[in-house]
Amino acid sequence: WNQVFAFTKDRIQSLSVEITVREQEFVNDEFIGKIAIDMSDIPTRVPPDSPLAPQWYKLEAEANSSVGELMMILWFGTQADEVFIDAWHSDVASVSAQDLVVPGDKNRNPEVYVKAALGNVKLRTRVSADKSLNPRWNEDLMFVAVEPFYDHLVLTVGGGDVVEELKFASKLNMRISLDGASVLVPMKSRDGRETTDAYCVAKYGPKWVRTRTVVNSFSPKWNEQYTWEVYDPY
């Protein structure tokens, strides 16, 4: 399956994780086997630690007999984990659904678009050329935002002439970036002309980092990446 599922730690009330394998039927899904793992046996991984190796786990049937094995990895992680953005999140969407659920005629190919709003500014993608339940857009929507950032960036998935709000049980894969430092002011004089040597400092909790210095540039780009363990969602 090659899928990742994420569960918010403060919402976990069980002492074990249970994985069930079923045969999909039209009426009742037939039980094949399950695996139960104690929470205390699950390791912790904090990036940039090396990825954990997958393991084979025995599937137990109702009569305590083995009916096969399932390869998987379980770990306690953070939002800095590289698979976090691709995971199915238990508190966001149903992990049992993978496709868009579009109201109306189920046999109709949906014409789906994404609408983004920041304050009073609204932008919209074109209707996906895929016209399927797994649409793609590959478009850039650009807003101009200034501090303090009071407004939320709101994304809405819509389709065709449908007026009612669309319910979807899936995930939206996108990349959001905040680009700054486009035109810095001169801070010093060198060889008879004004210039700026800029660097960035970032701090979260007790950890802080400093980028390299980009000299003689009013529009510096660092293209550096750093990782923090997020311990407080607020």
Side-chain angles (χ1 to χ4, degrees), residues 44-200:
T44 298
R45 175 179 177 263
V46 179
D49 293 350
S50 299
L52 300 174
Q55 299 181 41
W56 286 104
Y57 293 85
K58 288 185 177 181
L59 283 168
E60 303 290 341
E62 293 179 343
N64 293 326
S65 60
S66 177
V67 292
E69 294 181 318
L70 187 67
M71 178 179 283
M72 61 183 180
I73 314 171
L74 287 88
W75 73 95
F76 284 111
T78 69
Q79 294 178 14
D81 199 298
E82 60 269 17
V83 301
F84 182 81
I85 58 174
D86 296 322
W88 291 84
H89 296 271
S90 62
D91 55 349
V92 176
S94 170
V95 299
S96 62
Q98 299 180 12
D99 299 323
L100 288 173
V101 180
V102 181
D105 186 0
K106 295 183 178 180
N107 297 321
R108 176 178 59 86
N109 292 327
E111 298 181 355
V112 187
Y113 59 84
V114 174
K115 182 168 62 177
L118 182 67
N120 296 323
V121 181
K122 297 180 180 180
L123 300 176
R124 206 195 88 167
T125 68
R126 68 185 188 281
V127 173
S128 173
D130 293 343
K131 291 184 172 57
S132 70
L133 296 180
N134 298 288
R136 296 174 180 269
W137 294 277
N138 294 325
E139 293 186 46
D140 291 332
L141 301 179
M142 182 178 294
F143 294 89
V144 177
V146 295
E147 294 183 348
F149 301 120
Y150 291 127
D151 296 319
H152 290 84
L153 176 61
V154 180
L155 299 171
T156 305
V157 179
D161 298 327
V162 177
V163 178
E164 60 184 301
E165 180 183 356
L166 290 181
K167 298 178 180 179
F168 76 99
S170 185
K171 53 189 175 181
L172 194 62
N173 187 14
M174 59 188 171
R175 178 174 297 173
I176 301 178
S177 63
L178 184 63
D179 299 326
S182 58
V183 182
L184 297 180
V185 298
M187 299 297 294
K188 64 178 71 174
S189 177
R190 180 181 294 129
D191 298 330
R193 64 183 183 87
E194 295 181 322
T195 185
T196 293
D197 301 336
Y199 63 88
C200 288

